[in-house]
Amino acid sequence: MTEAIDLVILGEELLATTSDGHDGGRAARTVLHEPGLRSTLIALRAGHELAEHDAPPAASLQVVLGTVHLVSGDDTMALAAGQLVPIPRQRHSLVADSDAVVLLTVRFE
């Protein structure tokens, strides 16, 4: 049996490695990689973003720390720690309103 991962502790560690310099205010670490499923913890400094990109076939986003907003077309959804949403199935971006950590879980084939 594998050990449980403390997402808050790991997220705080990831945030500590980010800066406004060459890393674009972000850091990421894959925390789960199983056949057909991958979860990646992403740390974003306030004001930084994951630029608009295509959506995977099925994915969810859980906010572990801080606040973010998910932008998809003309829609914007504000999210705070403890909230979980499905990723829109269209191009989207993610912006950190405060220092934030999110868990992206993607199903793939």
Side-chain angles (χ1 to χ4, degrees), residues 7 34-35 45 49 55 65 90 94-95 103 107:
L7 298 175
E34 297 290 331
R45 287 279 172 205
E49 72 175 310
L65 296 169
Q90 59 191 23
L94 182 72
V95 179
L103 181 68
R107 180 185 62 83

Side-chain angles (χ1 to χ4, degrees), residues 10-28 41-46 48 99-101:
L10 182 55
E12 289 171 343
E13 290 171 1
L14 279 176
L15 272 173
T17 69
T18 64
S19 69
D20 288 330
H22 71 279
D23 64 9
R26 64 183 181 209
L41 200 61
I42 304 167
L44 287 171
R45 287 279 172 205
H48 289 271
D99 287 354
V101 176

Side-chain angles (χ1 to χ4, degrees), residues 7-78:
L7 298 175
V8 172
I9 291 173
L10 182 55
E12 289 171 343
E13 290 171 1
L14 279 176
L15 272 173
T17 69
T18 64
S19 69
D20 288 330
H22 71 279
D23 64 9
R26 64 183 181 209
R29 182 175 305 161
T30 298
V31 294
L32 175 70
H33 195 200
E34 297 290 331
L37 186 69
R38 181 177 56 238
S39 292
T40 303
L41 200 61
I42 304 167
L44 287 171
R45 287 279 172 205
H48 289 271
E49 72 175 310
L50 297 178
E52 187 176 76
H53 54 279
D54 291 327
S60 66
L61 184 75
Q62 177 183 357
V63 182
V64 176
L65 296 169
T67 57
V68 298
H69 60 273
L70 182 62
V71 180
S72 181
D74 292 332
D75 296 325
T76 299
M77 180 182 294

